[in-house]
Protein backbone atom coordinates (compact mmCIF):
# COMPACT_ATOMS: atom_id res chain seq x y z
CA UNK A 1 0.00 0.00 0.00
CA UNK A 2 2.84 2.40 0.88
CA UNK A 3 4.65 1.72 -2.41
CA UNK A 4 1.34 2.20 -4.24
CA UNK A 5 1.00 5.64 -2.70
CA UNK A 6 4.29 6.53 -4.37
CA UNK A 7 3.18 5.07 -7.69
CA UNK A 8 5.65 2.15 -7.50
CA UNK A 9 3.60 -0.24 -9.63
CA UNK A 10 6.33 -2.89 -9.98
CA UNK A 11 6.73 -3.27 -6.19
CA UNK A 12 2.98 -3.71 -5.80
CA UNK A 13 3.03 -6.34 -8.57
CA UNK A 14 5.91 -8.18 -6.88
CA UNK A 15 3.98 -8.19 -3.58
CA UNK A 16 0.85 -9.42 -5.40
CA UNK A 17 2.74 -12.22 -7.15
CA UNK A 18 4.56 -13.26 -3.98
CA UNK A 19 1.25 -13.43 -2.12
CA UNK A 20 -0.33 -15.39 -4.98
CA UNK A 21 2.60 -17.83 -5.01
CA UNK A 22 2.29 -18.41 -1.26
CA UNK A 23 -1.48 -18.79 -1.59
CA UNK A 24 -1.06 -21.40 -4.34
CA UNK A 25 1.15 -23.46 -2.05
CA UNK A 26 -1.16 -23.06 0.94
CA UNK A 27 -4.13 -24.24 -1.14
CA UNK A 28 -2.51 -27.69 -1.14
CA UNK A 29 -2.94 -27.82 2.65
CA UNK A 30 -6.13 -29.04 4.30
CA UNK A 31 -6.55 -26.38 6.96
CA UNK A 32 -9.42 -27.07 9.33
CA UNK A 33 -10.20 -24.75 12.21
CA UNK A 34 -7.91 -22.66 14.37
CA UNK A 35 -5.36 -19.91 13.88
CA UNK A 36 -3.74 -21.42 10.75
CA UNK A 37 -7.07 -21.33 8.93
CA UNK A 38 -7.50 -17.66 9.88
CA UNK A 39 -3.98 -16.85 8.65
CA UNK A 40 -4.65 -18.70 5.40
CA UNK A 41 -7.80 -16.62 4.88
CA UNK A 42 -5.81 -13.44 5.55
CA UNK A 43 -3.40 -14.36 2.72
CA UNK A 44 -6.36 -14.63 0.33
CA UNK A 45 -7.60 -11.19 1.35
CA UNK A 46 -4.11 -9.70 1.02
CA UNK A 47 -3.79 -10.96 -2.55
CA UNK A 48 -7.22 -9.54 -3.34
CA UNK A 49 -6.32 -6.15 -1.87
CA UNK A 50 -3.09 -6.00 -3.87
CA UNK A 51 -4.95 -6.95 -7.06
CA UNK A 52 -7.47 -4.19 -6.39
CA UNK A 53 -4.62 -1.77 -5.70
CA UNK A 54 -3.07 -2.53 -9.10
CA UNK A 55 -6.44 -1.83 -10.68
CA UNK A 56 -6.63 1.54 -8.92
CA UNK A 57 -3.09 2.35 -10.06
CA UNK A 58 -4.05 1.50 -13.65
CA UNK A 59 -6.48 4.44 -13.56
CA UNK A 60 -3.59 6.79 -12.88
CA UNK A 61 -0.87 5.16 -14.94
CA UNK A 62 -2.57 2.62 -17.14
CA UNK A 63 0.42 1.68 -19.25
CA UNK A 64 2.71 0.31 -16.56
CA UNK A 65 -0.11 -1.18 -14.47
CA UNK A 66 -1.48 -3.06 -17.51
CA UNK A 67 1.97 -4.54 -18.04
CA UNK A 68 1.67 -6.25 -14.66
CA UNK A 69 -2.01 -7.19 -14.94
CA UNK A 70 -1.37 -10.93 -15.15
CA UNK A 71 -0.22 -12.83 -12.05
CA UNK A 72 3.45 -13.78 -12.33
CA UNK A 73 4.25 -10.92 -14.68
CA UNK A 74 6.67 -9.43 -12.16
CA UNK A 75 8.90 -12.52 -12.35
CA UNK A 76 8.00 -13.76 -8.86
CA UNK A 77 6.60 -17.32 -8.72
CA UNK A 78 6.32 -20.33 -6.42
CA UNK A 79 9.48 -21.82 -8.00
CA UNK A 80 11.48 -19.22 -6.07
CA UNK A 81 10.53 -21.01 -2.82
CA UNK A 82 11.82 -24.33 -1.48
CA UNK A 83 8.99 -26.53 -2.77
CA UNK A 84 10.47 -29.74 -1.33
CA UNK A 85 10.54 -28.27 2.16
CA UNK A 86 7.00 -26.94 1.76
CA UNK A 87 5.91 -30.47 0.84
CA UNK A 88 7.55 -31.73 4.02
CA UNK A 89 5.73 -29.06 6.05
CA UNK A 90 2.46 -30.12 4.43
CA UNK A 91 3.12 -33.71 5.53
CA UNK A 92 3.75 -32.62 9.11
CA UNK A 93 0.56 -30.54 9.16
CA UNK A 94 -1.47 -33.47 7.83
CA UNK A 95 0.06 -35.82 10.43
CA UNK A 96 -0.76 -33.31 13.18
CA UNK A 97 -4.36 -33.02 11.95
CA UNK A 98 -4.71 -36.80 11.89
CA UNK A 99 -3.40 -37.11 15.45
CA UNK A 100 -5.63 -34.23 16.57
CA UNK A 101 -8.64 -36.03 15.10
CA UNK A 102 -7.76 -39.15 17.08
CA UNK A 103 -7.29 -37.15 20.28
CA UNK A 104 -10.64 -35.42 19.76
CA UNK A 105 -12.33 -38.77 19.14
CA UNK A 106 -10.81 -40.28 22.29
CA UNK A 107 -11.16 -37.19 24.46
CA UNK A 108 -14.40 -35.48 23.53
CA UNK A 109 -15.99 -38.57 21.97
CA UNK A 110 -15.28 -41.12 24.70
CA UNK A 111 -13.58 -39.80 27.83
CA UNK A 112 -15.57 -36.58 28.13
CA UNK A 113 -18.82 -38.44 27.54
CA UNK A 114 -18.00 -40.95 30.28
CA UNK A 115 -17.05 -38.15 32.69
CA UNK A 116 -20.36 -36.37 32.07
CA UNK A 117 -22.28 -39.62 32.51
CA UNK A 118 -20.51 -40.28 35.81
CA UNK A 119 -21.75 -36.96 37.22
CA UNK A 120 -25.36 -37.78 36.34
CA UNK A 121 -24.88 -41.24 37.85
CA UNK A 122 -23.56 -39.77 41.10
CA UNK A 123 -26.51 -37.39 41.32
CA UNK A 124 -28.68 -40.51 41.38
CA UNK A 125 -26.68 -41.76 44.35
CA UNK A 126 -24.92 -44.56 42.43
CA UNK A 127 -21.38 -43.72 43.58
CA UNK A 128 -19.88 -47.12 42.75
CA UNK A 129 -21.03 -46.94 39.14
CA UNK A 130 -20.02 -43.28 39.00
CA UNK A 131 -16.48 -44.20 40.08
CA UNK A 132 -16.29 -46.89 37.39
CA UNK A 133 -17.33 -44.35 34.76
CA UNK A 134 -14.90 -41.62 35.78
CA UNK A 135 -12.06 -44.13 36.06
CA UNK A 136 -13.00 -45.38 32.59
CA UNK A 137 -12.84 -41.80 31.31
CA UNK A 138 -9.41 -41.38 32.86
CA UNK A 139 -8.18 -44.61 31.27
CA UNK A 140 -9.26 -43.43 27.80
CA UNK A 141 -7.59 -40.04 28.36
CA UNK A 142 -4.37 -41.71 29.54
CA UNK A 143 -4.23 -43.84 26.40
CA UNK A 144 -4.71 -40.80 24.14
CA UNK A 145 -2.11 -38.89 26.14
CA UNK A 146 0.50 -41.65 25.83
CA UNK A 147 -0.13 -42.29 22.12
CA UNK A 148 -0.43 -38.72 20.85
CA UNK A 149 -0.05 -35.87 23.35
CA UNK A 150 3.33 -36.98 24.74
CA UNK A 151 4.96 -36.74 21.30
CA UNK A 152 3.01 -33.62 20.27
CA UNK A 153 2.31 -31.44 23.36
CA UNK A 154 0.39 -28.88 21.24
CA UNK A 155 -2.43 -31.45 21.00
CA UNK A 156 -3.20 -30.88 24.68
CA UNK A 157 -4.84 -27.51 24.05
CA UNK A 158 -8.47 -27.41 22.99
CA UNK A 159 -10.65 -30.50 23.20
CA UNK A 160 -8.19 -32.63 25.18
CA UNK A 161 -7.78 -29.96 27.87
CA UNK A 162 -11.58 -29.63 27.98
CA UNK A 163 -11.82 -33.39 28.45
CA UNK A 164 -9.34 -33.31 31.36
CA UNK A 165 -11.29 -30.43 32.94
CA UNK A 166 -14.46 -32.54 32.76
CA UNK A 167 -12.61 -35.49 34.34
CA UNK A 168 -11.32 -33.22 37.11
CA UNK A 169 -14.85 -32.00 37.80
CA UNK A 170 -16.20 -35.56 37.97
CA UNK A 171 -13.36 -36.77 40.19
CA UNK A 172 -13.75 -33.84 42.60
CA UNK A 173 -17.50 -34.43 42.78
CA UNK A 174 -16.96 -38.16 43.42
CA UNK A 175 -14.44 -37.65 46.24
CA UNK A 176 -16.59 -34.96 47.84
CA UNK A 177 -19.68 -37.20 47.71
CA UNK A 178 -17.71 -40.07 49.24
CA UNK A 179 -15.69 -38.22 51.89
CA UNK A 180 -16.98 -34.65 52.15
CA UNK A 181 -13.54 -33.28 51.21
CA UNK A 182 -12.13 -31.73 48.02
CA UNK A 183 -9.17 -33.64 46.51
CA UNK A 184 -5.98 -31.67 45.71
CA UNK A 185 -4.69 -31.33 42.12
CA UNK A 186 -1.90 -33.85 42.74
CA UNK A 187 -4.44 -36.61 43.38
CA UNK A 188 -5.92 -36.47 39.84
CA UNK A 189 -3.63 -37.99 37.16
CA UNK A 190 -2.82 -36.05 33.95
CA UNK A 191 -4.68 -32.93 35.09
CA UNK A 192 -2.68 -29.68 35.20
CA UNK A 193 -3.50 -26.71 37.40
CA UNK A 194 -5.60 -24.75 34.86
CA UNK A 195 -7.68 -27.83 34.10
CA UNK A 196 -8.06 -28.53 37.81
CA UNK A 197 -9.24 -25.00 38.55
CA UNK A 198 -11.74 -25.13 35.69
CA UNK A 199 -13.04 -28.46 36.96
CA UNK A 200 -13.14 -27.17 40.54
CA UNK A 201 -15.32 -24.19 39.58
CA UNK A 202 -17.61 -26.35 37.45
CA UNK A 203 -17.88 -28.72 40.42
CA UNK A 204 -19.61 -25.94 42.39
CA UNK A 205 -22.36 -25.96 39.77
CA UNK A 206 -22.96 -29.67 40.46
CA UNK A 207 -22.92 -28.93 44.18
CA UNK A 208 -25.62 -26.33 43.52
CA UNK A 209 -27.79 -28.93 41.78
CA UNK A 210 -27.19 -31.35 44.64
CA UNK A 211 -28.17 -28.60 47.09
CA UNK A 212 -31.50 -28.08 45.28
CA UNK A 213 -32.20 -31.81 45.49
CA UNK A 214 -31.57 -31.79 49.24
CA UNK A 215 -33.51 -28.57 49.75
CA UNK A 216 -36.49 -30.30 48.16
CA UNK A 217 -36.10 -33.00 50.84
CA UNK A 218 -35.78 -30.25 53.49
CA UNK A 219 -32.34 -31.61 54.42
CA UNK A 220 -30.94 -28.35 55.80
CA UNK A 221 -27.72 -29.90 57.05
CA UNK A 222 -26.80 -31.21 53.61
CA UNK A 223 -27.57 -27.85 51.99
CA UNK A 224 -25.33 -26.20 54.60
CA UNK A 225 -22.57 -28.63 53.65
CA UNK A 226 -23.01 -27.63 50.01
CA UNK A 227 -22.82 -23.94 50.90
CA UNK A 228 -19.73 -24.47 53.07
CA UNK A 229 -17.72 -26.15 50.30
CA UNK A 230 -18.70 -23.63 47.58
CA UNK A 231 -17.95 -20.72 49.92
CA UNK A 232 -14.53 -22.16 50.80
CA UNK A 233 -13.69 -22.64 47.11
CA UNK A 234 -14.87 -19.11 46.28
CA UNK A 235 -12.72 -17.60 49.03
CA UNK A 236 -9.62 -19.49 47.89
CA UNK A 237 -10.02 -19.04 44.12
CA UNK A 238 -10.66 -15.30 44.40
CA UNK A 239 -7.28 -14.97 46.15
CA UNK A 240 -5.52 -16.21 43.01
CA UNK A 241 -4.03 -13.69 40.55
CA UNK A 242 -6.73 -12.81 38.02
CA UNK A 243 -4.77 -13.09 34.76
CA UNK A 244 -7.86 -13.74 32.65
CA UNK A 245 -7.40 -17.49 32.22
CA UNK A 246 -10.48 -18.34 34.25
CA UNK A 247 -12.55 -15.78 32.36
CA UNK A 248 -16.26 -15.89 33.10
CA UNK A 249 -15.84 -18.89 35.40
CA UNK A 250 -15.05 -16.60 38.35
CA UNK A 251 -18.42 -14.90 38.00
CA UNK A 252 -20.08 -18.31 37.65
CA UNK A 253 -18.40 -19.43 40.86
CA UNK A 254 -19.76 -16.47 42.80
CA UNK A 255 -23.25 -17.01 41.36
CA UNK A 256 -23.21 -20.69 42.31
CA UNK A 257 -22.36 -19.79 45.90
CA UNK A 258 -25.01 -17.09 46.02
CA UNK A 259 -27.71 -19.48 44.77
CA UNK A 260 -27.02 -21.96 47.56
CA UNK A 261 -27.01 -19.15 50.10
CA UNK A 262 -30.46 -18.12 48.82
CA UNK A 263 -31.63 -21.71 49.22
CA UNK A 264 -30.62 -21.66 52.87
CA UNK A 265 -32.50 -18.42 53.37
CA UNK A 266 -35.65 -19.86 51.80
CA UNK A 267 -35.36 -22.96 53.99
CA UNK A 268 -35.15 -20.76 57.07
CA UNK A 269 -38.49 -19.04 56.35
Amino acid sequence: MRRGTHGDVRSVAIARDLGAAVLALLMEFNFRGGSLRHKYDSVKWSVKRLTDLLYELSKRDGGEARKYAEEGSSGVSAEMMDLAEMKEVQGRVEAFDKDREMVMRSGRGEAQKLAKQSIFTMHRGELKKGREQVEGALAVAKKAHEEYVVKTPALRTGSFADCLEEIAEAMIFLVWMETGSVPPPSSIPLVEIDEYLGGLIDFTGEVGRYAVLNATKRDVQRVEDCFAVTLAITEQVTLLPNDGRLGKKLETLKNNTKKIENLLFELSI
Side-chain angles (χ1 to χ4, degrees):
M1 185 65 75
R2 188 175 302 167
R3 298 312 305 162
T5 303
H6 290 83
D8 189 349
V9 177
R10 185 171 184 276
S11 292
V12 175
I14 289 173
R16 188 269 321 269
D17 290 345
L18 179 60
V22 171
L23 180 60
L25 291 173
L26 292 179
M27 287 177 70
E28 298 295 323
F29 289 69
N30 182 24
F31 294 117
R32 299 184 184 182
S35 59
L36 283 179
R37 176 70 199 193
H38 294 312
K39 289 182 182 294
Y40 166 71
D41 289 339
S42 72
V43 174
K44 290 194 295 184
W45 283 109
S46 294
V47 173
K48 184 181 184 303
R49 284 197 299 270
L50 289 166
T51 301
D52 290 344
L53 179 57
L54 276 174
Y55 168 70
E56 294 297 330
L57 288 172
S58 71
K59 296 177 181 179
R60 184 174 67 183
D61 187 5
E64 189 177 8
R66 281 196 294 271
K67 185 173 68 174
Y68 294 112
E70 297 293 330
E71 285 187 7
S73 55
S74 69
V76 174
S77 66
E79 282 69 27
M80 299 179 68
M81 304 176 67
D82 191 330
L83 299 181
E85 186 169 351
M86 287 300 294
K87 202 70 178 175
E88 182 185 343
V89 171
Q90 182 183 352
R92 293 204 301 267
V93 170
E94 289 174 354
F96 178 85
D97 283 343
K98 183 179 178 181
D99 286 350
R100 183 176 63 174
E101 191 67 35
M102 294 302 296
V103 169
M104 290 175 65
R105 189 178 303 169
S106 300
R108 187 167 60 193
E110 298 177 48
Q112 196 167 8
K113 182 180 178 181
L114 273 172
K116 286 181 180 294
Q117 289 175 341
S118 73
I119 292 173
F120 286 110
T121 300
M122 286 182 272
H123 273 299
R124 295 195 300 267
E126 301 175 46
L127 298 187
K128 182 180 178 182
K129 183 179 178 181
R131 175 172 284 280
E132 291 173 355
Q133 289 173 323
V134 72
E135 288 178 348
L138 191 54
V140 173
K142 279 183 177 179
K143 188 173 185 294
H145 183 264
E146 291 167 1
E147 291 183 2
Y148 304 106
V149 181
V150 168
K151 68 176 182 179
T152 312
L155 289 170
R156 187 182 188 96
T157 60
S159 62
F160 191 69
D162 293 341
C163 164
L164 293 178
E165 189 173 299
E166 194 78 38
I167 289 173
E169 177 189 357
M171 189 63 77
I172 294 168
F173 190 49
L174 173 66
V175 173
W176 180 74
M177 291 282 281
E178 290 179 335
T179 68
S181 61
V182 175
S186 59
S187 68
I188 306 176
L190 292 183
V191 174
E192 294 183 352
I193 191 62
D194 284 357
E195 296 145 2
Y196 175 83
L197 287 173
L200 182 66
I201 293 173
D202 290 343
F203 155 73
T204 64
E206 299 305 328
V207 173
R209 280 181 272 280
Y210 187 64
V212 171
L213 174 65
N214 284 280
T216 304
K217 300 175 182 177
R218 312 301 290 181
D219 188 342
V220 177
Q221 182 57 57
R222 201 62 178 131
V223 178
E224 287 179 346
D225 293 341
C226 293
F227 177 64
V229 72
T230 55
L231 181 62
I233 291 170
T234 301
E235 290 174 345
Q236 292 301 312
V237 171
T238 51
L239 291 175
L240 298 174
N242 186 8
D243 56 4
R245 286 183 296 177
L246 294 177
K248 295 179 180 179
K249 284 184 179 287
L250 281 176
E251 196 60 37
T252 300
L253 173 59
K254 294 175 184 177
N255 288 335
N256 290 339
T257 306
K258 187 66 178 176
K259 288 175 183 177
I260 302 176
E261 186 177 20
N262 290 340
L263 273 180
L264 282 173
F265 173 73
E266 289 170 3
L267 287 171
S268 69
I269 298 175

